[in-house]
Amino acid sequence: MRWYLLKTWPGKEEQLIEKIQRTVSPDLYGECFVISQQRIWRKQQKNVVHVEKLFPGCVFFTCKNTDYVFERLKSAPSIAGMIMCGELAILPMRKADADFLLRISGEDHMVKLSSVRKGENGQLCEISGPLKVCSGQIERYQLKKRYAVIRHNLWGENLGIVMGIALKEDMDLRSYFE
């Protein structure tokens, strides 16, 4: 399957997915989805797991026969209008980009919390979960706010990607990152 990035306005991702599902027969494409991530928020002295989009404004689409599928998309008035107005751009993705996203988000397209421990030298050690895939790319982290930022080249851009982390004291949330 070939991956495509459909760039639209943040907050319009679900509408785009619905339009595609109404326009294109399900047997002509693999999936149409957003990649989400788990993050920990502190509310009233408690940790709460929150789910948000990893790449706001980005919808991912997989298919084999791209020519026919994209002709079908471009002929649908609602989608053609989005393209004409600049509300939608369809970009082919490199295989390396798709492989990376699949490694961190899995088949369910959810970047789960990564378990980390802070070593004696102040650096992160014992990293598990999606962050382990890119541990050499960690640019910075904020333990109190429970996130790490990695630097990765996606779509030809050098992006800072925020990923949720959990510490040993967050073991009440263990079910989220196992």
Side-chain angles (χ1 to χ4, degrees):
M1 287 281 178
R2 181 89 197 254
W3 280 47
Y4 290 85
L5 170 63
L6 310 179
K7 290 195 85 146
T8 187
W9 297 108
K12 301 284 187 183
E13 302 91 349
E14 299 303 326
Q15 289 175 340
L16 177 59
I17 291 171
E18 288 174 17
K19 286 179 183 180
I20 290 170
Q21 290 172 340
R22 283 194 311 262
T23 305
V24 181
S25 175
D27 57 323
L28 296 177
Y29 68 95
E31 294 180 277
C32 187
F33 59 92
V34 296
I35 297 178
S36 300
Q37 70 165 325
Q38 294 176 333
R39 295 280 307 275
I40 295 177
W41 295 87
R42 291 284 293 169
K43 288 187 178 179
Q44 299 174 348
Q45 312 298 332
K46 293 186 180 195
N47 290 330
V48 177
V49 176
H50 166 75
V51 176
E52 60 188 43
K53 292 174 180 70
L54 185 61
F55 303 106
C58 295
V59 172
F60 300 91
F61 184 83
T62 64
C63 67
K64 287 183 182 177
N65 185 353
T66 57
D67 294 336
Y68 180 74
V69 171
F70 287 119
E71 285 303 315
R72 179 82 176 115
L73 284 175
K74 291 175 184 174
S75 68
S78 61
I79 294 175
M82 291 178 73
I83 294 170
M84 295 288 287
C85 294
E87 294 178 30
L88 175 63
I90 302 172
L91 309 166
M93 289 180 54
R94 296 180 313 167
K95 184 173 179 349
D97 292 348
D99 291 345
F100 171 76
L101 293 174
L102 202 52
R103 280 195 321 270
I104 65 170
S105 69
E107 296 292 328
D108 61 350
H109 311 298
M110 172 70 70
V111 180
K112 298 194 177 2
L113 293 170
S114 294
S115 176
V116 300
R117 189 172 67 78
K118 186 176 171 183
E120 291 178 20
N121 61 357
Q123 298 296 315
L124 295 182
C125 63
E126 293 183 29
I127 301 170
S128 66
L131 191 58
K132 187 172 186 170
V133 170
C134 39
S135 61
Q137 300 169 294
I138 297 173
E139 185 174 83
R140 69 180 190 282
Y141 56 90
Q142 180 62 256
L143 298 179
K144 186 175 181 175
K145 293 188 177 182
R146 305 294 197 267
Y147 72 83
V149 177
I150 64 160
R151 183 67 53 187
H152 190 82
N153 189 345
L154 277 176
W155 315 301
E157 298 178 36
N158 192 12
L159 298 177
I161 302 170
V162 178
M163 297 173 71
I165 59 174
L167 304 175
K168 185 177 182 179
E169 55 263 31
D170 300 325
M171 284 307 173
D172 57 321
L173 304 172
R174 180 175 279 283
S175 63
Y176 289 99
F177 54 91
E178 288 187 326

